[in-house]
């Protein structure tokens, strides 16, 4: 999986992705990161990449030519047209299903806007996907690009040390993850649930499933409508609902 990021702040992307699990995935050749500085394609000796908006108004707009040339510098080496994600609060809100879909690509190009936006013409020409990471406004597309790259990278086979850990996690099957505990068995008077120390794995699994249901009901009831529930899950949920707050 090759990530290409068109940005005015390539060091921000390299710092953000070059550490921890994604950093190790780069070192191991499982993913690659190519942060392209749009300013290198400004075409003038001042490195200017923005200008005043036609029609007036506040702020500056990123000019189309530097963005287009930076894009061309990436695709000329690929031999096909990859998906190009423009990070914008006007986009479709990113979620785990989108991460799964994007993780099937070989190359992904991210375009990070700044200032008041990017000239619409170059967006029309190169962008395939408009994506937001939530309903709030950030100063630029770099943090959203890093969020997406992180979420997509961990779905690339081999990136997580444990193959199964990407399967049983928050949002798998639209249920939140059950609570986790480690040693000590008692911390400041609070004990680990006894069932987890029992060694009875079917019972532990059943307890965890119920905890996932409780958690999802309490914290993200909206997810339950999309969850695949079996008969035993429905019985647990009925019990949880009857008890009200668990
Ligand atoms: Cl993708 N960009 C910006 N600038 N702000 C955002 C966003 C993206 N997603 C949420 N807020």
């Amino acid at each position: 999986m090759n990530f290409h990021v068109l940005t005015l702040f390539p060091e921000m992307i390299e710092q953000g992705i070059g550490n921890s699990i994604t950093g190790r995935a780069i070192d191991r050749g499982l993913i690659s990161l190519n942060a392209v500085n749009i300013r290198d394609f400004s075409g003038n000796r001042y490195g200017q990449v923005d200008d005043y908006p036609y029609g007036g108004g506040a702020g500056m707009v990123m000019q189309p030519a530097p963005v287009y040339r930076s894009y061309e510098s990436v695709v000329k080496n690929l031999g096909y047209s990859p998906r190009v994600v423009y990070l914008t609060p006007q986009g479709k809100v990113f979620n785990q299903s989108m991460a799964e879909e994007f993780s099937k690509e070989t190359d992904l190009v991210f375009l990070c806007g700044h200032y008041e936006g990017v000239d619409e013409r170059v967006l029309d020409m190169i962008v395939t996907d408009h994506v937001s990471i939530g309903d709030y406004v950030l100063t630029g597309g770099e943090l959203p690009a890093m969020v997406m790259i992180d979420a997509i990278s961990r779905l690339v086979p081999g990136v997580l040390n444990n193959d199964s850990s990407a399967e049983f996690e928050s949002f798998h099957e639209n249920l939140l993850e059950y609570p986790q505990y480690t040693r000590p068995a008692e911390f400041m008077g609070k004990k680990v649930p006894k069932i987890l120390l029992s060694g009875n794995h079917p019972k532990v699994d059943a307890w965890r499933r119920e905890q996932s249901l409780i958690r999802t009901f309490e914290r993200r009831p909206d997810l339950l409508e999309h969850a695949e529930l079996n008969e035993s899950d429905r019985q647990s949920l009925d019990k949880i609902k009857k008890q009200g707050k668990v």
Side-chain angles (χ1 to χ4, degrees):
M1 176 101 218
N2 304 305
F3 299 105
H4 311 267
V5 186
L6 313 180
T7 171
L8 291 171
F9 302 98
E11 328 76 53
M12 195 175 164
I13 303 287
E14 281 157 3
Q15 280 296 325
I17 300 300
N19 289 290
S20 186
I21 291 175
T22 45
R24 203 184 52 207
I26 293 170
D27 295 341
R28 292 164 65 209
L30 296 169
I31 62 172
S32 76
L33 177 66
N34 171 29
V36 178
N37 193 341
I38 295 170
R39 203 175 297 285
D40 292 345
F41 299 86
S42 79
N44 68 62
R45 58 202 182 111
Y46 308 105
Q48 193 193 342
V49 292
D50 62 328
D51 208 334
Y52 297 99
Y54 276 120
M60 302 290 273
V61 177
M62 283 171 68
Q63 296 173 292
V67 171
Y68 191 78
R69 287 193 288 258
S70 67
Y71 162 79
E72 267 189 330
S73 80
V74 166
V75 297
K76 72 161 195 279
N77 300 314
L78 296 185
Y80 76 104
S81 297
R83 284 173 84 170
V84 178
V85 177
Y86 177 49
L87 288 314
T88 167
Q90 299 181 6
K92 182 173 171 190
V93 179
F94 188 57
N95 62 24
Q96 191 67 23
S97 319
M98 289 162 73
E100 282 164 22
E101 187 196 314
F102 282 124
S103 74
K104 295 175 191 149
E105 303 292 327
T106 306
D107 295 273
L108 275 177
V109 180
F110 295 89
L111 170 59
C112 304
H114 253 269
Y115 313 113
E116 297 310 301
V118 177
D119 186 288
E120 193 70 18
R121 292 165 296 182
V122 73
L123 298 178
D124 287 344
M125 291 167 71
I126 70 173
V127 172
T128 59
D129 300 85
H130 292 68
V131 181
S132 164
I133 62 160
D135 292 337
Y136 39 82
V137 181
L138 302 170
T139 57
E142 282 76 14
L143 285 167
M146 288 190 263
V147 165
M148 288 187 65
I149 291 169
D150 189 290
I152 295 164
S153 294
R154 61 188 292 294
L155 300 175
V156 171
V159 168
L160 296 184
N161 30 356
N162 178 355
D163 273 346
S164 61
S165 53
E167 288 175 31
F168 299 97
E169 62 185 351
S170 298
F171 290 108
H172 183 64
E173 293 183 347
N174 282 297
L175 290 179
L176 300 186
E177 198 181 13
Y178 48 79
Q180 299 274 21
Y181 300 87
T182 187
R183 288 190 289 182
E186 184 173 334
F187 172 67
M188 294 176 88
K190 288 167 79 75
K191 292 194 167 76
V192 169
K194 229 196 287 176
I195 185 87
L196 297 177
L197 311 177
S198 70
N200 184 333
H201 293 293
K203 278 203 164 167
V204 168
D205 289 347
W207 180 85
R208 286 178 164 171
R209 183 77 182 180
E210 187 176 39
Q211 290 297 311
S212 285
L213 292 166
I214 291 169
R215 235 174 219 205
T216 312
F217 177 71
E218 287 183 348
R219 301 182 183 180
R220 291 295 307 277
D222 56 300
L223 290 180
L224 278 177
E225 316 193 356
H226 308 283
E228 256 185 56
L229 304 178
N230 60 34
E231 191 44 44
S232 142
D233 291 336
R234 291 187 193 288
Q235 279 174 15
S236 302
L237 256 186
D238 283 344
K239 197 176 87 188
I240 295 161
K241 285 178 187 167
K242 279 206 194 85
Q243 288 169 358
K245 181 107 184 97
V246 180

